[in-house]
Amino acid sequence: MKLPKNIFASLLFALALMAITYLSLSVKPSIKNKIKYIEISGNVHLSRFGYIEFARLNNKRSYENLNVQIIRARIEKHPYVESADVRYDGNGKVSVKITEKNFESLMFNEDEQYLITDKLQALPVLENSLKIDYPVIANVQLDKAVKMLSSIKKNYDVLTAAKIIGAVKLANPEMHDALSSIDMQNGGEINLYFSVFDYPVRLGRGNELHKVIYFCSFWNYLKGKELNSYMDYVDLRYGGHIFLGILENIDQNQEKMDRKS
């Protein structure tokens, strides 16, 4: 005896509904408590616990409500993080490989400090940050307040300083490691400071990249010379020439040598 089509369809729907209900009830217990611990790697500028704490992953009792998508979303909200590769490895373990943003410099503006990325994004300097040893950009002329996580590539002083850092790095990596600060003097003439000698390098304004390359090449001659102990400044402001300022008296020379010893 054949069942009417509408009765057959109703029975089929009921069976499907029962199957879905069974699967949902049987799957939920297996997902629950699946994540037991989370391992962070790839971090440089913040500790593993710092990222765990920021992402609210330090309470293991809450892991039953997590999945890889939620963990990734929380980690990637951190201002230092470019991306996060999150995978479930089995046996209750989740691996998080962090790729941090590429920092190029620190910018000081009165009492505010910012980390500046290679994309000229301004980030906060967190108290528990690690290895924040980058050239400082100081006394930048700002038309408006800097907003965290915003781009400041339209600011001429910041863009110029970033180009100077890039030029030093390209021309002489050793000098890039020694570059301690760039004083933009609020739109005035630019001075560079290096950790390997005490005197400023007066760059001025205009043709900054060419001047930087000249000085990096000249430093190969100047490096290690006793003359460095008697110098007051290096001046690159005038038409492709390099002028050396010499300290005027012995007392100043001796004071500078005492600081070096």
Side-chain angles (χ1 to χ4, degrees):
M1 179 179 178
K2 292 185 179 180
L3 294 173
K5 289 184 178 180
N6 58 342
I7 295 176
F8 179 77
S10 298
L11 288 172
L12 186 62
F13 176 77
L15 288 172
L17 186 61
M18 290 173 63
I20 292 172
T21 302
Y22 172 78
L23 288 173
S24 64
L25 291 174
S26 61
V27 168
K28 280 184 179 178
S30 65
I31 293 177
K32 190 174 182 180
N33 297 324
K34 183 169 64 174
I35 298 176
K36 295 180 181 178
Y37 57 100
I38 299 170
E39 183 178 274
I40 302 285
S41 64
N43 58 301
V44 176
H45 295 101
L46 197 68
S47 68
R48 293 182 179 91
F49 179 75
Y51 282 119
I52 288 287
E53 189 175 39
F54 174 88
R56 307 188 310 280
L57 301 174
N58 48 337
N59 182 6
K60 292 187 176 183
R61 287 178 294 181
S62 68
Y63 284 6
E64 63 186 52
N65 301 316
L66 298 179
N67 56 40
V68 293
Q69 291 79 15
I70 293 173
I71 295 171
R72 180 185 298 110
R74 290 187 186 181
I75 291 289
E76 289 184 343
K77 284 182 180 179
H78 196 283
Y80 289 2
V81 175
E82 182 69 33
S83 63
D85 182 15
V86 183
R87 301 183 181 185
Y88 180 70
D89 297 330
N91 297 321
K93 177 186 174 185
V94 169
S95 295
V96 181
K97 185 176 181 180
I98 291 173
T99 300
E100 294 179 335
K101 295 174 182 177
N102 186 17
F103 303 150
E104 293 284 352
S105 62
L106 283 160
M107 186 176 77
F108 290 178
N109 178 38
E110 296 180 351
D111 295 332
E112 298 292 329
Q113 297 182 18
Y114 309 89
L115 275 165
I116 308 299
T117 71
D118 58 341
K119 298 177 182 178
L120 295 184
Q121 184 186 32
L123 307 179
V125 180
L126 304 178
E127 289 184 3
N128 52 349
S129 298
L130 305 172
K131 299 181 181 180
I132 305 298
D133 185 19
Y134 294 98
V136 171
I137 304 173
N139 299 317
V140 172
Q141 188 174 42
L142 297 172
D143 299 327
K144 56 184 179 180
V146 176
K147 294 181 180 179
M148 290 297 183
L149 305 181
S150 67
S151 172
I152 53 174
K153 63 183 178 181
K154 291 184 179 180
N155 181 281
Y156 182 77
D157 267 7
V158 175
L159 182 60
T160 300
K163 289 181 177 179
I164 290 171
I165 293 171
V168 174
K169 188 174 184 178
L170 181 64
N172 191 328
E174 179 186 358
M175 292 301 291
H176 175 263
D177 293 340
L179 179 60
S180 56
S181 66
I182 303 174
D183 187 353
M184 304 304 293
Q185 300 201 84
N186 297 303
E189 296 189 332
I190 302 167
N191 288 336
L192 307 185
Y193 296 87
F194 294 83
S195 61
V196 290
F197 49 80
D198 294 333
Y199 49 84
V201 177
R202 297 177 180 176
L203 207 61
R205 292 274 177 168
N207 296 319
E208 294 92 354
L209 304 188
H210 289 92
K211 294 174 183 177
V212 165
I213 292 171
Y214 292 156
F215 177 72
C216 287
S217 178
F218 179 65
W219 174 248
N220 291 329
Y221 163 78
L222 200 61
K223 180 174 61 175
K225 299 290 194 301
E226 187 178 354
L227 177 63
N228 283 289
S229 301
Y230 299 94
M231 287 175 55
D232 194 29
Y233 61 83
V234 171
D235 200 332
L236 300 167
R237 294 176 294 173
Y238 304 106
H241 298 287
I242 298 178
F243 294 93
L244 306 182
I246 305 300
L247 291 170
E248 294 180 357
N249 57 62
I250 296 176
D251 291 338
Q252 285 179 302
N253 295 349
Q254 187 63 49
E255 181 182 348
K256 184 164 259 190
M257 292 179 73
D258 289 343
R259 289 202 303 268
K260 281 179 171 287
S261 62

